[in-house]
Amino acid sequence: DREMTFMGAITNATAVDMENMTGKARELGRTTMFSATQAAQAMQNLARAGMDTNEIMEASGPALMLAGAAGTDMATATNLLAATLAQFNLDASESSRVTDVFSTAITSSLFDVNSLREAMKYAGTVGQAFGMSIEESTAAVAQFRNIGLEGSLAGTNFRMAMQSAAVETDKKRRTLEKLGLTMADINPQYHTFGDILETLGNTSADVGDSLEIFGRRAGANMAGLIDNARQGNDEYGELLSSLESSVGATDRLYEQA
């Protein structure tokens, strides 16, 4: 009751809203591994993230399912979900899509929920800014995690690489001309992350070229991903396909918890 009262104060909920959310918390207490009180705490976290009562009703169930499936605490799951919805301008009705994508990423890459949360702090906003979907952004940043970078480093490498690829300089232009390319050929505003890897993989680009194109902090890691693509591996595409067909992944992972 205390959690619900506080949450109602944050959202300026009406009496009807409070009744509906109390009923939702009790329902989640019956149908998940969490108690009604814990469900109310999750709702409170979503309210603090700026969600209104209708959005909280939509997001609270998927958030709890993600927490149970990923073996994490409610604060981590609710904050990750709320932040991702905001980053990609998604409606709360897309909450299950988000949690299914993340559940699949956790089981199909080196990410766990904590490293994924740290990576998406940096990757989500830049991915969305370049027109990438949540699936495309997650698949891309996972490539950096899979070569051993921890969550925040994976996210910042992805961010720096994409930002650098979008800004033309004379040195970058000359480097790309040498490879038979232009800035437009590798600009993330026009091409997916997979396209960029494939395009450069079809050239003789080496580490020095990659450092010039993607910057000194991300270039060496991009060179490794480009070389992987050059060898015919499409790990980005394979993961993206899994993420785009991930409906129900959280429920399945939850049942195994």
Side-chain angles (χ1 to χ4, degrees):
D1 288 345
R2 182 174 59 188
E3 285 79 10
M4 294 303 295
T5 299
F6 185 63
M7 189 266 297
I10 297 172
T11 59
N12 294 316
T14 66
V16 173
D17 290 333
M18 290 298 296
E19 183 178 348
N20 289 337
M21 287 192 290
T22 299
K24 183 67 173 180
R26 289 173 178 164
E27 174 194 335
L28 292 170
R30 290 193 303 270
T31 59
T32 71
M33 65 176 65
F34 299 98
S35 68
T37 298
Q38 289 174 311
Q41 290 169 344
M43 290 180 168
Q44 188 181 119
N45 290 337
L46 295 171
R48 284 181 172 139
M51 288 190 177
D52 63 29
T53 54
N54 290 329
E55 291 171 329
I56 291 168
M57 293 281 286
E58 289 272 10
S60 54
L64 286 181
M65 293 296 287
L66 178 61
T72 190
D73 59 88
M74 289 181 302
T76 297
T78 52
N79 292 341
L80 175 59
L81 175 57
T84 303
L85 290 171
Q87 285 176 327
F88 288 93
N89 298 317
L90 297 174
D91 188 82
S93 62
E94 299 260 39
S95 294
S96 290
R97 171 189 172 190
V98 173
T99 58
D100 285 341
V101 166
F102 287 163
S103 293
T104 300
I106 289 167
T107 58
S108 304
S109 72
L110 291 182
F111 275 130
D112 59 21
V113 69
N114 290 315
S115 60
L116 178 60
R117 179 191 62 182
E118 289 300 310
M120 292 305 290
K121 285 181 182 179
Y122 306 97
T125 302
V126 74
Q128 191 279 332
F130 286 119
M132 300 180 193
S133 66
I134 180 177
E135 291 85 358
E136 291 171 326
S137 300
T138 304
V141 74
Q143 303 314 301
F144 294 94
R145 179 69 188 98
N146 286 348
I147 60 173
L149 299 184
E150 295 299 331
S152 60
L153 280 175
T156 54
N157 266 251
F158 170 67
R159 181 185 67 181
M160 290 184 294
M162 294 301 94
Q163 289 174 336
S164 184
V167 178
E168 183 169 356
T169 66
D170 288 341
K171 286 185 177 181
K172 289 178 194 175
R173 181 174 50 78
R174 289 194 296 270
T175 298
L176 287 164
E177 283 179 354
K178 179 187 70 173
L179 300 172
L181 301 173
T182 67
M183 284 296 298
D185 293 323
I186 55 97
N187 192 318
Q189 290 179 292
Y190 314 120
H191 303 284
T192 69
F193 186 75
D195 290 340
I196 294 169
L197 295 182
E198 182 180 3
T199 296
L200 287 165
N202 289 329
T203 72
S204 60
D206 58 21
V207 174
D209 297 326
S210 187
L211 287 168
E212 193 60 60
I213 297 166
F214 298 106
R216 295 201 172 276
R217 295 186 65 185
N221 291 315
M222 281 296 294
L225 297 178
I226 291 165
D227 189 55
N228 198 34
R230 182 176 291 126
Q231 296 174 36
N233 298 316
D234 186 19
E235 294 175 8
Y236 166 83
E238 291 170 4
L239 180 55
L240 177 60
S241 179
S242 295
L243 298 179
E244 290 179 336
S245 58
S246 63
V247 175
T250 306
D251 288 346
R252 291 190 293 272
L253 188 59
Y254 180 89
E255 290 172 0
Q256 298 170 14

